[in-house]
Amino acid sequence: MSQEAKQAKPSPYYLARSKNCIGDGLFAGVNFKGGETIIALKRPLLASLESERLKDTCANCFVWTEESSIGSRLYVKEGTTVQTCAGCKRFRYCSKACQKAAWNRGHKHECKNLRSVSDKEIPKAVLGCMELLVRRKHKLIDDDTWVMLQALETHIDDFVQNGKYPGIELMAMGTSQFSATQNTFTKEFVAAMYARILSNALTLITPTFDPLGIMIDPLLCHMNHSCDPNAYVIMDGPQVQIRTLKDTKKDEEIYISYIDPTNPFARRQNELRARWFFACKCSKCQNGTETQEDEWAIAPKDLNAGFKKMADMWLDANPDLASDPANYVDDSTDGRRVAALQGEVFKLHEDAQTADPEEAIRHIESALDLCRQSGLWRIHRQPVPALRDDLIVNALAAGKYELAWAHCVKRHQSVLPKLYPQPYHPVRVIQTWQMAMLAQYLASTGIEVKPGVDMAVIAGVLINMVNEAAKTSHGPENAFSKSVQEKFKEVETEILGKFGSRDVMDNAVKMQEKKLIEMGDLVEF
């Protein structure tokens, strides 16, 4: 290709004034098919780990070394460990190469300062802000990147209005002192930078979407939100990709979702106002409650008398329950009753987040029973899918593998295709992978899940699904995709050896695919 042709090649993206949101947005510079890469970065400008993840995650390459209960993180090399930095006693690294890379990127200028507070827990946003200030002070962030970073909204006025600004000022004072940059940046500047991190941070994730902390990048953080996004963030260690969720035309704005877009309209709007200070006007939100996220199985007026009485008792005890904007339905008596029931179900879900696995299972099963018995909830209306996801995780942690399997099958058959219609949607791919690893474990135990079911073949069927979808969801070079491909080759060889010929194997696979569908009735709801 000639030099002129290279220069004429259009950029795959560009920044411009957003047509639907305040400020700038990211736009497609060319046409994209679903599952293609728009942006690929070697690493974001900044990443800051959660306090818990500082103990078991490399602060440079973000490899999470904690063992998975059913081997779902095969992309992590067996035996990988992290060692504490001898200086600051805070960060850990998986190798000398990672420690050196972090040192040269700026840790050498903050290590000594952090050592004096090694016994204190410092919030991830404060650690991230400290790193940015230190790196800029020592000219490790260039002028163009710094200007682009400062173009991100601080929302200072919004923080003042909601009463959180004094806390931001306090955190900013600590940031200045711990980073030893108080003679370089004013306290107002540091407060604004800290607020900018709070307002713009994206979630730092593993390839299997485990949250590790936060990340800031001036390019990535210019992407605006939609509850009907056309793109998503995927990571592979420090490498970040923005990939298309659907076909996107040249000059279309690129949107990701800041929240769970499967939640009902009122809950999405409430979360976006509280956390990001805006009312969403995306294509989905323009339809208000007329989308599948707000579908009830029965009309609120048709709620049976027993549940109406229960809701009235809750409202008598707490009249504000129905006026919570996150649970709002309408101002009718029946609408207020349903809002109260919805609030109780979401509260049970929240309670399960901080409970041990056995207690969490009890909270979740109570919430699912309430949803089922009331007759209000469809199987795909939140928080039923989220409750099921958490039930699976806690059942695995508690060693209740058959319970986890029953709900995995129900989710696979009845929920994932509804919430995530694209077979390569990353959430659908990861949850199918979780199910595949559970199937393989059950096959190893010899437990008969259902007569005629061969769990080894079922595992192979599911691994094949993920192997095909991951090439699009994650990209063929992602460590997750590569580990899935290796696992598929291994399982295919084992199954082929079991049946002796490919024709016999293919027939067995077809039979077990039917069995998988039939297992959708292992749980009623």
Side-chain angles (χ1 to χ4, degrees):
M1 183 183 292
S2 68
Q3 188 63 35
E4 292 77 10
K6 288 181 181 179
Q7 291 175 349
K9 187 177 180 180
S11 172
Y13 59 86
Y14 62 91
L15 287 174
R17 183 64 59 181
S18 176
K19 299 169 185 175
N20 300 310
C21 305
I22 297 173
D24 289 341
L26 190 74
F27 290 80
V30 296
N31 293 332
F32 289 99
K33 295 289 186 183
E36 292 187 336
T37 303
I38 306 171
I39 299 174
L41 301 180
K42 290 184 177 179
R43 65 182 309 123
L45 175 65
L46 167 80
S48 186
L49 294 169
E50 296 279 0
S51 296
E52 281 301 304
R53 295 287 71 79
L54 286 170
K55 302 171 186 177
D56 54 24
T57 304
C58 178
N60 180 68
C61 73
F62 313 127
V63 62
W64 181 24
T65 62
E66 185 177 305
E67 288 294 329
S68 171
S69 59
I70 55 168
S72 61
R73 293 190 296 112
L74 298 178
Y75 54 87
V76 178
K77 187 178 179 181
E78 189 174 349
T80 300
T81 60
V82 289
Q83 301 297 320
T84 307
C85 172
C88 69
K89 309 291 185 183
R90 182 173 299 273
F91 298 122
R92 288 171 170 80
Y93 302 100
C94 68
S95 66
K96 291 292 184 182
C98 273
Q99 186 169 17
K100 182 178 180 180
W103 184 261
N104 292 334
R105 195 168 52 255
H107 185 57
K108 61 184 174 183
H109 298 296
E110 64 176 357
C111 187
K112 183 179 178 181
N113 296 332
L114 287 170
R115 187 169 190 172
S116 63
V117 290
S118 61
D119 60 333
K120 292 180 172 59
E121 184 168 315
I122 302 176
K124 58 184 178 291
V126 171
L127 283 171
C129 192
M130 288 170 60
E131 181 182 333
L132 285 176
L133 298 176
V134 167
R135 286 169 60 192
R136 177 59 180 174
K137 176 182 177 179
H138 293 280
K139 298 179 170 51
L140 295 172
I141 298 177
D142 63 72
D143 291 347
D144 290 343
T145 301
W146 192 246
V147 169
M148 195 173 173
L149 179 65
Q150 291 181 78
L152 297 174
E153 179 61 63
T154 65
H155 288 286
I156 290 293
D157 291 342
D158 294 302
F159 284 120
V160 169
Q161 188 173 352
N162 69 14
K164 294 183 178 179
Y165 187 66
I168 289 174
E169 283 190 311
L170 187 62
M171 288 295 183
M173 287 177 58
T175 300
S176 292
Q177 293 172 359
F178 296 156
S179 62
T181 58
Q182 57 266 58
N183 296 327
T184 306
F185 304 104
T186 67
K187 62 180 182 180
E188 292 80 12
F189 182 90
V190 177
M193 185 59 72
Y194 182 70
R196 194 172 281 116
I197 291 173
L198 295 179
S199 301
N200 294 277
L202 300 172
T203 304
L204 182 72
I205 54 174
T206 68
T208 43
F209 279 53
D210 308 287
L212 298 177
I214 58 172
M215 64 175 173
I216 287 284
D217 187 88
L219 175 62
L220 301 182
C221 290
H222 272 90
M223 285 187 295
N224 286 309
H225 163 85
S226 172
C227 298
D228 185 20
N230 56 7
Y232 58 94
V233 179
I234 207 82
M235 294 192 70
D236 185 1
Q239 298 175 38
V240 189
Q241 284 190 46
I242 307 302
R243 298 182 68 83
T244 49
L245 192 56
K246 57 185 77 171
D247 292 356
T248 304
K249 293 181 180 179
K250 182 180 182 295
D251 299 323
E252 274 190 55
E253 186 165 358
I254 303 302
Y255 293 105
I256 59 173
S257 184
Y258 297 175
I259 59 171
D260 184 347
T262 67
N263 271 326
F265 172 72
R267 186 160 287 265
R268 298 198 311 269
Q269 290 287 343
N270 183 67
E271 185 177 355
L272 290 167
R273 284 193 184 97
R275 174 72 175 79
W276 285 279
F277 310 109
F278 70 89
C280 185
K281 299 177 182 178
C282 72
S283 56
K284 183 187 288 187
C285 287
Q286 286 177 19
N287 291 318
T289 59
E290 300 300 315
T291 63
Q292 72 170 20
E293 289 76 16
D294 284 85
E295 289 178 354
W296 295 109
I298 59 173
K301 66 181 179 61
D302 295 328
L303 185 66
N304 72 48
F307 276 94
K308 285 184 178 181
K309 184 177 180 180
M310 182 189 297
D312 288 339
M313 289 173 58
W314 289 340
L315 289 170
D316 287 342
N318 183 6
D320 294 332
L321 196 59
S323 58
D324 181 347
N327 297 313
Y328 179 79
V329 176
D330 60 48
D331 294 324
S332 68
T333 299
D334 289 320
R336 289 173 56 80
R337 286 167 172 158
V338 170
L341 288 171
Q342 182 169 239
E344 178 64 17
V345 175
F346 272 102
K347 183 180 182 301
L348 285 168
H349 183 219
E350 290 166 9
D351 290 344
Q353 307 302 306
T354 55
D356 64 69
E358 293 286 355
E359 185 182 356
I361 290 170
R362 288 194 292 273
H363 280 301
I364 294 167
E365 289 184 331
S366 294
L368 287 173
D369 283 344
L370 195 157
C371 293
R372 176 180 57 81
Q373 292 168 10
S374 71
L376 273 169
W377 270 266
R378 294 186 183 277
I379 199 170
H380 61 266
R381 181 181 171 120
Q382 294 289 12
V384 172
L387 286 164
R388 195 182 313 281
D389 293 344
D390 285 356
L391 181 57
I392 291 167
V393 170
N394 283 286
L396 291 172
K400 297 184 175 183
Y401 300 115
E402 290 178 79
L403 175 64
W405 174 253
H407 283 277
C408 275
V409 176
K410 177 64 75 173
R411 179 175 69 181
H412 182 75
Q413 302 290 3
S414 305
V415 181
L416 294 182
K418 187 76 173 177
L419 294 186
Y420 313 108
Q422 300 94 340
Y424 59 86
H425 192 292
V427 174
R428 184 170 174 176
V429 171
I430 294 304
Q431 292 188 345
T432 304
W433 177 245
Q434 179 189 48
M435 183 181 178
M437 292 297 94
L438 177 56
Q440 189 170 55
Y441 173 80
L442 288 170
S444 73
T445 65
I447 295 173
E448 186 179 58
V449 175
K450 199 170 184 180
V453 170
D454 187 329
M455 291 302 290
V457 177
I458 293 287
V461 168
L462 294 168
I463 291 169
N464 185 41
M465 287 181 189
V466 178
N467 183 44
E468 292 302 315
K471 298 168 188 175
T472 306
S473 66
H474 289 64
E477 297 305 312
N478 189 282
F480 171 75
S481 302
K482 289 181 176 179
S483 68
V484 172
Q485 186 177 38
E486 288 301 311
K487 190 67 176 175
F488 174 68
K489 290 177 181 177
E490 172 192 317
V491 170
E492 185 182 42
T493 299
E494 289 176 0
I495 295 175
L496 186 58
K498 177 180 179 179
F499 290 104
S501 75
R502 187 163 292 277
D503 286 344
V504 176
M505 182 185 75
D506 289 345
N507 287 332
V509 165
K510 289 177 182 177
M511 181 182 297
Q512 292 304 313
E513 286 174 340
K514 292 178 182 177
K515 293 289 184 183
L516 180 59
I517 294 171
E518 292 170 3
M519 281 190 283
D521 61 1
L522 288 173
V523 288
E524 178 186 349
F525 184 79

